[in-house]
Amino acid sequence: MKFGIACFPSKEVQDFANSYRKRYDPHYSLIQPHLTIREAEEWSSGRLKEAVAHLELAVKTLSPFTVRFNRFSSLLPGSAVIYLALEDPEPFIRCHEALCAGPLTEASKSYRFHPHLTIGQQLGHDEANDILASLRKIPVSLSATIDRIHMLYQTENDAWTVHQTFLFGRT
Amino acid sequence: MKFGIACFPSKEVQDFANSYRKRYDPHYSLIQPHLTIREAEEWSSGRLKEAVAHLELAVKTLSPFTVRFNRFSSLLPGSAVIYLALEDPEPFIRCHEALCAGPLTEASKSYRFHPHLTIGQQLGHDEANDILASLRKIPVSLSATIDRIHMLYQTENDAWTVHQTFLFGRT
């Protein structure tokens, strides 16, 4: 079964993101707007137990923090992904480092973790460039408190179900 | 903001349910297959806190239990809803009673809580009767362990995001 870890921002941010995702993101109906913390990976039940035990401890070391989305950006030209960007990604990066450690350490990747809330993907490069040019004119100023993460699993239709939430700093 | 409480059965049950929901349930892309424990209701942030506190205590009194889905059934003729039915609904009813108590006691309703996993709704009555007649011939024998519930909130597009999971019997 495939498991992943994600963070859902506030309803306000999700509503804003969905107004674009419904046009530009084929994953619109598979999962609510989120920031991926750990990519989907096939886990055995033993691996799942290990991951849950790790996260239960790891979130205790984290305190809620505020993120601010301040613009649309993209992974162009490497990838035709358009996303809502964080003004300051550092607190989210530190959160990622605390969670994806120990048994959840990720195999070395050729790219650095880059927190983002995808609102468009699987677009043609020219199309993505055009959309981004238009979206960049839209002012964005949305804040959200991040105080929990969710572990999810994927069903056969590629949609995601939440397995468990992990609240920061809970004893 | 609208909050509700639901239970997602195992991936196996969700996959089976989705194979029918994609044809018969307009909510297919709004939420994964679930058994509703408490209907959606507008909650203030104070009410939310009260509900979370209640559920955190209430789940400690519950132990995981197994449910078996053994047939398709319906709420016809009252309502054109088709669902996967539980062989023995009693453990789920007792779970509902423990959760929807105290501050989550439901206003008196004209119907008894009836656990079911909806796979078809918003159908014409004749259509629902025809579908049910065909589905009743399909053997159903699926089990799932129920060891957690989820509190969810609704976004503007009517989809649902999980707010928090509550694991049974956790201290």
Side-chain angles (χ1 to χ4, degrees):
Chain A
M1 207 144 103
K2 266 195 176 172
F3 287 85
I5 303 170
C7 173
F8 297 111
S10 64
K11 175 178 176 292
E12 184 191 13
V13 173
Q14 290 181 60
D15 286 337
F16 182 79
N18 272 335
S19 70
Y20 297 98
R21 291 177 81 230
K22 71 182 169 195
R23 273 185 286 174
Y24 304 130
D25 189 349
H27 292 188
Y28 172 66
S29 65
L30 302 177
I31 186 168
Q32 288 276 51
H34 61 280
L35 296 102
T36 300
I37 291 173
R38 203 173 194 282
E39 297 285 345
E41 195 179 56
E42 197 70 35
W43 284 357
S44 65
S45 59
R47 179 91 171 112
L48 170 62
K49 270 185 199 164
E50 192 179 53
V52 167
H54 164 70
L55 290 177
E56 283 178 341
L57 289 176
V59 289
K60 286 184 188 170
T61 69
L62 296 174
S63 299
F65 58 93
T66 302
V67 293
R68 200 166 84 83
F69 298 91
N70 69 344
R71 68 194 188 282
F72 289 98
S73 188
S74 84
L75 300 180
L76 289 165
S79 175
V81 167
I82 300 176
Y83 62 90
L84 281 170
L86 297 176
E87 185 175 54
D88 175 12
E90 285 307 320
F92 209 93
I93 290 171
R94 288 196 296 274
C95 164
H96 170 265
E97 282 167 358
L99 299 171
C100 295
L104 290 184
T105 303
E106 290 174 293
S108 62
K109 285 185 170 172
S110 53
Y111 54 90
R112 189 175 180 238
F113 174 69
H114 179 71
H116 60 283
L117 194 164
T118 299
I119 61 102
Q121 59 188 320
Q122 296 174 27
L123 301 160
H125 268 62
D126 289 348
E127 187 188 10
N129 268 313
D130 289 350
I131 294 166
L132 184 64
S134 137
L135 293 181
R136 275 201 164 133
K137 295 172 194 151
I138 299 169
V140 177
S141 178
L142 291 164
S143 292
T145 301
I146 307 298
D147 66 354
R148 65 195 60 207
I149 53 136
H150 296 75
M151 182 191 284
L152 304 100
Y153 57 90
Q154 198 167 26
T155 52
E156 292 306 310
N157 62 351
D158 291 339
W160 290 87
T161 302
V162 167
H163 178 68
Q164 188 168 340
T165 47
F166 297 88
L167 310 191
F168 294 174
R170 297 292 289 252
T171 51
Chain B
M1 206 145 102
K2 267 196 175 172
F3 287 85
I5 303 171
C7 172
F8 297 110
S10 65
K11 175 179 176 291
E12 185 192 13
V13 173
Q14 290 180 60
D15 286 336
F16 182 78
N18 272 334
S19 69
Y20 297 97
R21 292 177 80 231
K22 71 182 168 194
R23 273 185 287 174
Y24 304 130
D25 189 350
H27 291 188
Y28 172 65
S29 65
L30 302 178
I31 186 168
Q32 289 276 53
H34 61 280
L35 296 102
T36 299
I37 292 173
R38 202 172 195 281
E39 297 285 345
E41 195 179 57
E42 197 69 35
W43 285 356
S44 65
S45 58
R47 179 92 171 111
L48 170 63
K49 270 185 199 164
E50 193 179 52
V52 167
H54 163 70
L55 289 177
E56 283 178 341
L57 289 177
V59 289
K60 286 184 188 171
T61 68
L62 297 174
S63 299
F65 59 93
T66 301
V67 293
R68 200 166 85 83
F69 299 91
N70 69 344
R71 67 193 190 282
F72 288 97
S73 188
S74 84
L75 301 181
L76 289 164
S79 174
V81 168
I82 300 175
Y83 62 90
L84 282 169
L86 297 177
E87 185 176 55
D88 175 13
E90 285 307 321
F92 209 94
I93 290 171
R94 287 197 297 275
C95 165
H96 171 264
E97 282 167 358
L99 299 171
C100 294
L104 290 184
T105 303
E106 291 173 293
S108 62
K109 286 186 171 172
S110 53
Y111 56 91
R112 189 175 179 239
F113 174 68
H114 180 71
H116 60 283
L117 195 163
T118 299
I119 61 105
Q121 59 188 320
Q122 296 174 27
L123 301 160
H125 269 62
D126 289 349
E127 187 188 10
N129 269 313
D130 289 349
I131 294 166
L132 184 64
S134 136
L135 293 182
R136 276 202 162 130
K137 295 172 194 152
I138 299 170
V140 177
S141 178
L142 290 163
S143 292
T145 300
I146 306 298
D147 66 353
R148 64 196 61 206
I149 53 135
H150 296 75
M151 182 190 285
L152 304 100
Y153 56 90
Q154 198 167 26
T155 52
E156 292 306 310
N157 62 351
D158 291 338
W160 290 87
T161 302
V162 167
H163 179 69
Q164 189 168 340
T165 47
F166 298 88
L167 310 190
F168 294 174
R170 295 294 289 251
T171 52

